[in-house]
Amino acid sequence: MSEAGNLFTLLRQSADLEAAGAIEELVRDAPDRDLCRVNVIDFARRSGVDEERAIAAFLHAARLGMFELSWNVLCPGCGGVLDTSTTLKSVNKEEYDCALCAAGYRPTLDEMVEVTFTVSRRVRRIAAHDPHELPFAEYFRQIFWGSGINIPDYFEQLVEEIVLDQVELPPGEKALLSLQLPAEFVIVVDPVTHGTQFLDVKGEPTRERQNLSLVFDRLRAPTGTVTLRPGPLRLTLENRTDTRLLPGLWIAGDKLHELLGRRRPFLTAKRLLTNQVFRDIYGTDTIDVEQRLKITSLTFLFTDLKGSTELYERVGDLVAFDL
């Protein structure tokens, strides 16, 4: 039996059989993109598995090394992933900035931190294991946006309609784009560095060529706005990082706003922290006192039940609460 087969045998011994079977089917039959940052809540809905059992099964799969668990800080505006980590303790910034939205946000466990699962190379190799080789559209789909954005199947066609131009920019290289600017608000954004430049294209059209130069690095400078006129533009792009970049010019119109409005539920950090299986497996992965994380809603339970402490320790808080 293969290593993956042995791991699924172990998973069936520790997790709900229906949930384990659904995960095995996902790994066997799903396209690569569906195995990168799996949205467990959506997985449960599509497979008909109880959400709590699905969460528990993925946690056991992560414990066995079948999936990689990640904590992703999301922008509440555009749904983009602002930061990602393998432990919640690493989510320790007081504020996270989104260049695309030109706004900063304090992370909240029940709104801005999602938990996703990506299949391990031990089980199945997928394209996202080498993210810097993903095509333009797939990088946005699988890496840039979080699992709470419901990317449609026709995303590639949509990209052709709302992206004026895009280029693959190797490390240390420059690129020159020549294009016609429409009278629209245009956003130049690179999904790797999150470097962003707003272009407010308005006024009388011009036949004179306009020139603009942009440099992408790791500094994440504040997003600025340049006013241009409809007409020809020569755009020079420079990559000052050691990574391939994918800058593109997006029309910030109704179609982009409709895309960003396609939201679906996702597994939040708050929900996972209250999951008994998570607490059993990852008991040390809790919030440090120094972390500046907010929770917008929290329930406190007080009880004078005799022997309640021993009961909670034996069966877990959630089960004891249900009693």
Side-chain angles (χ1 to χ4, degrees), residues 214-280:
L214 299 178
V215 174
F216 295 97
D217 52 32
R218 297 291 185 180
L219 299 179
R220 291 199 183 185
T223 304
T225 302
V226 175
T227 301
L228 297 170
R229 294 165 63 185
L233 171 68
R234 184 169 69 176
L235 178 62
T236 302
L237 304 171
E238 182 178 357
N239 179 359
R240 291 185 182 174
T241 76
D242 57 359
T243 304
R244 180 205 67 165
L245 305 183
L246 296 169
L249 291 88
W250 296 69
I251 298 175
D254 291 341
K255 291 184 178 180
L256 178 59
H257 294 145
E258 289 172 5
L259 171 65
L260 299 182
R262 293 174 57 94
R263 302 301 175 102
R264 61 185 178 184
F266 57 86
L267 178 58
T268 65
K270 173 190 170 183
R271 180 169 181 179
L272 193 63
L273 288 173
T274 62
N275 182 281
Q276 189 60 46
V277 175
F278 171 80
R279 297 173 66 176
D280 291 341

Side-chain angles (χ1 to χ4, degrees), residues 90-124:
S90 298
V91 182
N92 53 17
K93 293 183 181 179
E94 184 173 354
E95 185 173 273
Y96 287 84
D97 295 320
C98 177
L100 184 59
C101 296
Y105 304 94
R106 292 194 64 185
T108 56
L109 291 177
D110 43 358
E111 295 176 351
M112 282 183 59
V113 182
E114 71 167 2
V115 182
T116 58
F117 297 82
T118 297
V119 70
S120 168
R121 290 177 172 85
R122 298 174 59 190
V123 176
R124 174 176 157 182

Side-chain angles (χ1 to χ4, degrees), residues 41-54:
I41 306 304
D42 188 62
F43 165 83
R45 179 189 61 81
R46 290 185 288 106
S47 60
V49 176
D50 175 77
E51 288 184 2
E52 291 301 321
R53 293 183 179 182

Side-chain angles (χ1 to χ4, degrees), residues 33-34 36-43 45-46 74 114 141 145-152 260-267:
R33 66 176 63 146
D34 290 349
C36 175
R37 291 183 179 167
V38 176
N39 181 325
V40 180
I41 306 304
D42 188 62
F43 165 83
R45 179 189 61 81
R46 290 185 288 106
L74 306 178
E114 71 167 2
R141 182 201 299 268
W145 277 307
S147 69
I149 297 291
N150 188 15
I151 305 294
L260 299 182
R262 293 174 57 94
R263 302 301 175 102
R264 61 185 178 184
F266 57 86
L267 178 58

Side-chain angles (χ1 to χ4, degrees), residues 164 178-182 206-207 230-233:
L164 295 173
S178 295
L179 64 148
Q180 288 287 325
L181 285 177
T206 180
R207 293 183 179 180
L233 171 68

